[in-house]
Amino acid sequence: MAAEYATFGLAPATRAGGVQADRDFQVHRDFMDFLVDGRPLLFRLCDLDAVSPLASDVPPAIFTAQVRGLLLETDAPLPGGRHVIYGCPECADLACGAVTAVILRDGDDFVWRDFAWQTAAHADLELNGYQGIGPYRFAGAEYRAALATLLDGAVRPLRRVLLIGARVALLTRLAAALRTIGIGADITEDARDVPADELRSYGAVAFGRAVTEDRRASVRRAFADAGVDVRPVDGLAPIVPVLVAQIEHALDRGPAERRRLTRLGASGAAADVEVTSPCRVRLTAYRLDRLHRTHVHEVFDGVLAPGDHRLPLDAGAVKGEAFVVARAPGSVLVTAVTRGAPDGRGPGNPG
């Protein structure tokens, strides 16, 4: 069977959730992505919002069944030996569309081939086949070893955040928004009285703007004493979608080289965005007026090629205190709008 050998691996990935100004939302999903020759396979599909079947929030029995299916220990779920490689992150319904492939054994090797976009029981390779993706031949020992590590319950990300601030009403709305997209959230005035075992269940702690530095230091010490590597989030603004995006970024523990969005900066004239692979990017600007009312402006929505991009900002959309949220499949970044040239190293960015 003609197929060149490729390396196979797995890496934690995130489909960032989000809350929109119209109260619509998309669900946060943590999953294991497939690495082919060290690069996420999902990155080859530039405009696809999807997750693999190896998601952390599926019941353990179903997760185990998915792994055993990829190991060909059970029958393929679709006709023709086809398996779902990526599916809808909201409902996992085939009718929404899925990337599927034939998985088969060739001696001791595993081969993935005939990738296609599929919305019904049978795939039409002529109409919906992915040209240039696969076939991939994986050495059996490497393939089985990677998938076997998932059978011990290793995919358990910390999807809870502790919220600390003075504005209880805002924190309550923020907690409700986070829970809506699948992130647990709790509110407290101080973490010193929280048991260490409970602190270990949080992946991030978010501070409101009114929280003093002494209080922040006290909270960080409580987590450190509990042996927790928690990600601190300094809230940029009392705007729920902005705070949700900041928390989403903090909960993403994937390495920077496997993210599609790697830099975001914004001035009053333009936003600078850096992406590592072709993908759809959406930019949304939020600003507070003098009465602290929130205004939302959609800046950009389109596919960007790898590299640096400067996207113009409408001056009226970012006057005063303003912020920009950038989203790509699996990545989200937030920055405050500065009045100088954008450099991509504002608050909330990894640079």
Side-chain angles (χ1 to χ4, degrees):
M1 180 177 300
E4 294 185 2
Y5 275 101
T7 63
F8 180 85
L10 298 165
T14 298
R15 187 268 192 158
V19 178
Q20 310 301 324
D22 59 3
R23 297 188 179 181
D24 193 12
F25 65 91
Q26 61 182 33
V27 176
H28 175 101
R29 303 292 302 277
D30 294 294
F31 63 99
M32 298 300 289
D33 198 4
F34 306 109
L35 301 182
V36 177
D37 288 334
R39 185 169 181 258
L41 181 58
L42 188 58
F43 282 19
R44 301 173 188 264
L45 307 165
C46 68
D47 193 19
L48 185 65
D49 181 18
V51 300
S52 82
L54 306 177
S56 64
D57 56 346
V58 301
I62 296 177
F63 185 91
T64 298
Q66 298 285 5
V67 175
R68 298 200 180 282
L70 294 172
L71 289 167
L72 302 185
E73 295 177 1
T74 60
D75 293 336
L78 298 171
R82 303 193 72 82
H83 296 253
V84 173
I85 306 300
Y86 296 109
C88 174
E90 299 289 340
C91 65
D93 192 329
L94 184 62
C96 290
V99 177
T100 67
V102 174
I103 301 180
L104 47 80
R105 289 281 298 272
D106 185 24
D108 193 48
D109 299 336
F110 289 78
V111 177
W112 289 20
R113 63 175 176 82
D114 298 338
F115 286 80
W117 178 254
Q118 191 167 344
T119 57
H122 295 276
D124 186 335
L125 291 179
E126 290 189 6
L127 183 63
N128 296 314
Y130 281 102
Q131 303 300 320
I133 298 183
Y136 303 117
R137 178 184 292 271
F138 305 117
E142 178 185 60
Y143 183 88
R144 286 189 295 269
L147 289 168
T149 61
L150 302 180
L151 297 177
D152 61 3
V155 188
R156 294 292 181 267
L158 298 176
R159 293 173 53 191
R160 293 181 67 199
V161 59
L162 189 63
L163 307 178
I164 299 176
R167 300 178 63 174
V168 177
L170 173 64
L171 295 180
T172 300
R173 294 198 306 274
L174 175 57
L178 290 166
R179 292 167 188 152
T180 296
I181 66 174
I183 296 174
D186 299 301
I187 301 171
T188 186
E189 293 185 358
D190 203 329
R192 288 176 296 183
D193 297 327
V194 179
D197 286 346
E198 186 172 343
L199 289 178
R200 296 188 187 103
S201 69
Y202 295 104
V205 54
F207 300 103
R209 296 200 292 188
V211 179
T212 65
E213 182 52 40
D214 287 345
R215 193 171 166 198
R216 293 171 193 239
S218 173
V219 171
R220 289 194 293 265
R221 282 196 300 272
F223 276 100
D225 291 344
V228 183
D229 178 22
V230 70
R231 298 284 178 88
V233 177
D234 295 322
L236 288 175
I239 303 173
V240 168
V242 171
L243 295 170
V244 168
Q246 283 191 267
I247 290 168
E248 288 269 29
H249 175 69
L251 291 175
D252 183 358
R253 297 300 182 102
E257 63 270 18
R258 292 186 185 144
R259 296 177 186 173
R260 285 181 160 175
L261 272 176
T262 53
R263 186 170 59 86
L264 171 67
S267 71
D272 280 352
V273 181
E274 182 180 17
V275 297
T276 59
S277 65
C279 60
R280 179 186 177 189
V281 176
R282 290 178 294 133
L283 263 63
T284 307
Y286 299 84
R287 71 175 182 89
L288 293 171
D289 64 19
R290 287 178 295 179
L291 299 177
H292 287 272
R293 295 172 299 192
T294 301
H295 300 264
V296 184
H297 182 75
E298 298 300 328
V299 175
F300 176 82
D301 187 347
V303 176
L304 296 178
D308 295 317
H309 301 269
R310 174 160 291 189
L311 305 173
L313 296 175
D314 183 283
V318 294
K319 66 180 180 181
E321 188 176 16
F323 311 87
V324 172
V325 175
R327 292 186 176 277
S331 303
V332 59
L333 289 177
V334 188
T335 188
V337 177
T338 66
R339 298 304 145 191
D343 62 4
R345 301 183 186 277
N349 288 291

